[in-house]
Amino acid sequence: MEICLKIEAANGSSDGLNFNPMKEYMILSGPQKIAIAVLCTLLGLLSALENLAVLYLIVSSHRLRKKPSYLFISSLAGADFLASVVFASSFVHFHVFDGVDSKAVFLLKIGSVTLTFTASLGSLLLTAIDRYLCLRYPPTYKALLTRRRALATLGIMWVLAALVSYLPLMGWTCCPRSCSELFPLIPNDYLLGWLLFIATLFAGIIYTYTHVLWKAHQHVASLAEHRDRHLSGMARMRLDVRLAKTLGMLLAVLFIFWFPVLALMVYSLAARLSDQVKKVFAFCSLLCLVNSMVNPIIYGLRSGEIRSSAHHRLAHWKKCVRGLGPEGKGEIPRSSVTETEADVKTTPGLDSRELSWPDEL
């Protein structure tokens, strides 16, 4: 309640915009500010460029932009691009330059940061569900998940993420509620609600990918049984290990980059934080930016079809540079092979056409 009294006094000042109590959250020293500025700038630029590249390669391909799977990846890349720009600029402005905004502007900024990261996790969940449906209902997958349904689902997800993220801007702020130890003007009860929402998204991602692994294992075993030992036990084991490694990597990335931040948020709800802990949180927050930089590599650039689109674009640009004109506007080769499909094709006795593997499982 002490901070509430200070904010109330600041609101009663002559200009009405002097939020000096927010400076209590500006706890970084000079060298730490330099480190934050350098890291935010480098990570933000790399993440923005990577996600822009993925968006361009998908949008520029007539085939890819029609596929529901790549609509979800586009949503992920778009959310991560916005996160890179909005988070990096807002974080540097607040922690490095000690920028003080009006209440409405500050809540708009923090709501926008929350929206981008929430939409990123929501896109990851939809991507996981898409890959589960592809394995669970291979014959009817295309009819079940059409482009129109995928766009409608993405629209609902973004609207829900926006509603959850901008609640403080709509009036759910601290005072008389207890204020968060980590975020100015944000009440602890809102932070708890957002953490529960994020925990639900994480639980959905983990549950869905666990089922993806299980269905893939069952499908491979079933094919081996129907093809009379054409697929050896050792080959099945190798394929299961590949799938387990891929899914393990996806979940490990989520855990490494999100757990420290979320754990400190939960801890802040139960205890008063020292300035040292707040400094640790400030640097741990950069892990979310690293996650936005890693996502386009895992979900985008590892895709065989996106790499084929990149090769096609490069070849087209080379022709233009050499003065041959914009010829060869054909789409990316339909024979492009995803990493998971390549794993299947290298497995003796298993025809990948009998499996409807999702791209880059």
Side-chain angles (χ1 to χ4, degrees), residues 27-39 95-96 279 283 286:
I27 38 73
L28 297 180
S29 64
Q32 291 168 342
K33 289 181 179 181
I34 295 175
I36 287 289
V38 172
L39 289 173
H95 283 291
V96 177
K279 291 177 181 180
F283 280 92
L286 297 181

Side-chain angles (χ1 to χ4, degrees), residues 328-339:
K329 291 186 177 181
E331 273 297 338
I332 59 175
R334 291 180 177 271
S335 60
S336 61
V337 179
T338 65
E339 180 179 296

Side-chain angles (χ1 to χ4, degrees), residues 219-230 354:
H219 203 41
V220 172
S222 175
L223 283 176
E225 183 178 334
H226 282 83
R227 298 192 60 162
D228 297 326
R229 299 186 303 277
H230 281 189
E354 298 185 23

